[in-house]
Amino acid sequence: MPPAIAETGTRFASSVRDALRSPRLLTREVLAGLVVALALIPEAIAFSIIAGVDPRVGLFSSFVMAVAISFLGGRPAMISAATGAVALVIAPVMRDHGLDYLLATVILGGVIQVALGLLGVAKLMRFIPRSVMVGFVNALAILIFLSQIEQLVDVPWLVYPLVAAGLLILWLFPKLTGAVPAPLVAIVLLTLVVVLFRIAVPTVGDQGALPDSLPIPFLPDVPPTLETLGVIAPYALAMAAVGLLESLMTAKLVDDITDTRSSKTRESWGQGVANVLSGLFGGMGGCAMIGQTMINVKASSARTRISTFLAGVFLLILVVVLGDVVAIIPMAALVAVMIMVSVLTFDWHSILPSTLKRMPKSETAVMVATVVFTVATHNLAIGVLVGAVVAAVLFARRVAHFTTVERILSDDGSEVRYVVDGELFFASSNDLTTQFDYVADPARVVIDMTRSHVWDASSVAALDAIATKYERHGAEVEIVGMNDAATDFHGRLSGGLGAGH
């Protein structure tokens, strides 16, 4: 095991031991797991409907992934279960080929995630700018809120005062005590009100049938042929990419909230193993659930793997053993919890006029692009990718203008020296050829690269093009001042890029 992972695992294990030794901390973790389990049930059922499978498939997937990732994942207290993003990706497989092909897709997607994790794909997270992260968080909050609208449209009018009461409890109760998670209090109190006063409002039981037996592992019945691989591979690859991106972004968000570090590499392959197990137990796969993670970490203040593990265990107990009790929970209570989560998740400071006034326009543009594309597509992965691309383009555009060229003519006019100052890469080198006076310069031209560096083939091609243009006018060009790395890079590529054509 790499030292970083070993060290991280030791620190995480220590926090679990601390919770087991402290009744107060253990109570907090147990109750947080219960709250998350209650919130997982309607979500898992809804995502099952999106994927076109029986609700049992989504519920079993959530149970297996939550339990598995509590041991395998690199980010304690993060919740993984069946998700809408993964459901959208694999839904066509279920529609066109059936459940066995869907399970095979989930298993292959998990294998791909394990491979990507071991290859170190998590290190790419360092290239996600802060403005993309802020956009991701804000878009997430908006999507969480929008996902609750369906439960507030065309419903009995009593739903609205129940939701309002739930929000009031969630706001006031934490001011009284933090011993019991406010979401659990809201769910219990609203359920009691609905049952005692026999109020007819939508309940968890209305969302779909709950399973009455334990999941059993089995292999999907698909032919082991290249034709099968051709069918499932594209969807498995998309599922792996979407799942890893959402999970790693969520892990980074929890790192920021808790001021702790986590192993992104371990989280990557852990997600893969969890998805393989999910597929083997008849589940639809998934990834980190941002809304439920925020319930666990922010609303319930959980910090260890205990809450994640118990969320899975409680989920199975609730739907299999206590299904009749869970079925009477009013959806209004869960809607109130998710609305409060969206309010707590949104980075309100990022949209204050004072913040926007100080922030560079390019940073604001990246944040807005991430939010707009995420909300428009309902896909966090697409939004983050668009935000990262916009950030890269704006950064390249800004850096491109940092490169300058100074022209120095010798006293006797027999030689001209051009001093290039700044980094040369594809964006800055495109304008480099326009900053030389090919017609009026003398027969000897020196290009001084002491204060510059050649980073890519575009820069080499630009220098070759400059030399070729001068040669056409009968001038001799000498490039001086390159460091060893740039000299070696330029020497290998110069003359072979067709710059003069």
Side-chain angles (χ1 to χ4, degrees):
M1 182 181 292
I5 296 179
E7 180 185 348
T8 304
T10 301
R11 185 172 66 251
F12 292 161
S14 177
S15 65
V16 170
R17 285 197 296 268
D18 291 342
L20 291 175
R21 291 169 180 167
S22 168
R24 182 180 62 83
L25 294 179
L26 183 59
T27 300
R28 184 184 68 187
E29 298 293 318
V30 171
L31 294 177
L34 178 58
V35 172
V36 171
L38 290 169
L40 278 174
I41 295 171
E43 296 280 330
I45 294 173
F47 297 147
S48 298
I49 295 171
I50 292 175
V53 298
D54 187 278
R56 293 173 179 82
V57 176
L59 290 166
F60 285 159
S61 182
S62 295
F63 158 68
V64 173
M65 291 208 65
V67 171
I69 210 67
S70 68
F71 291 99
L72 302 171
R75 175 63 261 180
M78 191 168 79
I79 305 298
S80 292
T83 60
V86 170
L88 287 170
V89 170
I90 62 176
V93 181
M94 181 65 191
R95 183 184 65 239
D96 300 334
H97 303 283
L99 180 61
D100 284 303
Y101 275 83
L102 180 138
L103 299 180
T105 301
V106 171
I107 294 171
L108 179 59
V111 171
I112 293 173
Q113 286 180 328
V114 171
L116 291 175
L118 296 177
L119 289 173
V121 71
K123 295 177 182 177
L124 296 176
M125 283 297 295
R126 71 185 65 177
F127 298 108
I128 302 294
R130 180 187 177 280
S131 51
V132 173
M133 192 67 192
V134 173
F136 167 80
V137 170
N138 290 345
L140 158 66
I142 294 171
L143 287 179
I144 291 174
F145 179 79
L146 292 178
S147 67
Q148 306 308 307
I149 298 298
E150 182 182 353
Q151 301 293 339
L152 297 172
V153 176
D154 195 24
V155 293
W157 70 269
L158 285 172
V159 167
Y160 304 113
L162 285 172
V163 171
L167 290 172
L168 192 63
I169 294 169
L170 292 166
W171 178 56
L172 291 177
F173 192 80
K175 300 179 185 298
L176 301 176
T177 177
V180 181
L184 180 60
V185 175
I187 291 171
V188 171
L189 289 180
L190 292 184
T191 301
L192 288 174
V193 168
V194 168
V195 172
L196 293 176
F197 293 95
R198 297 183 180 181
I199 301 174
V201 291
T203 63
V204 170
D206 298 329
Q207 305 302 303
L210 301 177
D212 54 8
S213 61
L214 297 176
I216 300 173
F218 67 95
L219 289 174
D221 184 16
V222 295
T225 62
L226 289 177
E227 182 181 355
T228 300
L229 183 63
V231 170
I232 67 175
Y235 298 101
L237 185 60
M239 171 193 163
V242 169
L244 276 186
L245 185 55
E246 289 207 24
S247 298
L248 294 176
M249 290 291 285
T250 306
K252 189 174 186 302
L253 178 60
V254 177
D255 288 352
D256 293 340
I257 292 172
T258 60
D259 294 323
T260 57
R261 296 174 60 189
S262 61
S263 172
K264 306 301 186 297
T265 297
R266 178 174 173 177
E267 185 62 42
S268 298
W269 62 256
Q271 288 286 333
V273 175
N275 271 308
V276 170
L277 292 173
S278 173
L280 291 175
F281 278 89
M284 55 184 275
C287 61
M289 293 196 76
I290 306 158
Q292 274 66 22
T293 298
M294 291 301 100
I295 291 176
N296 200 41
V297 174
K298 293 197 84 169
S300 302
S301 301
R303 291 294 183 269
T304 76
R305 299 176 184 274
I306 296 174
S307 59
T308 306
F309 173 75
L310 290 179
V313 173
F314 281 140
L315 174 64
L316 189 65
I317 293 173
L318 288 170
V319 298
V320 174
V321 180
L322 301 174
D324 292 339
V325 175
V326 172
I328 65 175
I329 295 174
M331 287 301 299
L334 299 177
V335 169
V337 170
M338 296 307 290
I339 290 176
M340 183 57 72
V341 166
S342 72
V343 172
L344 294 174
T345 301
F346 197 91
D347 186 351
W348 296 100
H349 181 266
S350 67
I351 61 171
L352 290 176
S354 58
T355 304
L356 295 175
K357 186 177 181 180
R358 292 195 307 267
M359 193 68 64
K361 289 184 174 58
S362 59
E363 298 285 324
T364 302
V366 170
M367 181 189 74
V368 171
T370 304
V371 171
V372 169
F373 276 88
T374 300
V375 174
T377 61
H378 281 241
N379 191 318
L380 290 161
I382 291 177
V384 169
L385 289 174
V386 170
V389 169
V390 172
V393 171
L394 293 177
F395 174 76
R397 182 171 177 269
R398 188 166 64 248
V399 173
H401 299 299
F402 290 165
T403 303
T404 59
V405 178
E406 181 184 2
R407 183 178 185 269
I408 304 173
L409 187 64
S410 64
D411 293 338
D412 59 5
S414 63
E415 178 183 295
V416 65
R417 174 178 290 264
Y418 285 92
V419 180
V420 182
D421 190 351
E423 305 300 309
L424 286 181
F425 64 109
F426 63 90
S428 60
S429 62
N430 285 335
D431 294 331
L432 187 66
T433 57
T434 65
Q435 301 187 53
F436 293 80
D437 194 345
Y438 304 102
V439 177
D441 281 344
R444 176 167 171 73
V445 179
V446 177
I447 302 177
D448 188 348
M449 301 288 291
T450 304
R451 291 185 289 180
S452 184
H453 187 85
V454 175
W455 286 105
D456 60 8
S458 297
S459 305
V460 175
L463 292 172
D464 284 354
I466 293 168
T468 301
K469 289 177 183 292
Y470 273 117
E471 288 171 2
R472 289 174 182 167
H473 289 85
E476 175 190 354
V477 177
E478 180 184 5
I479 300 176
V480 300
M482 282 189 182
N483 59 34
D484 293 339
T487 300
D488 178 65
F489 186 72
H490 180 265
R492 283 187 285 113
L493 295 182
S494 181
L497 299 173
H501 301 292

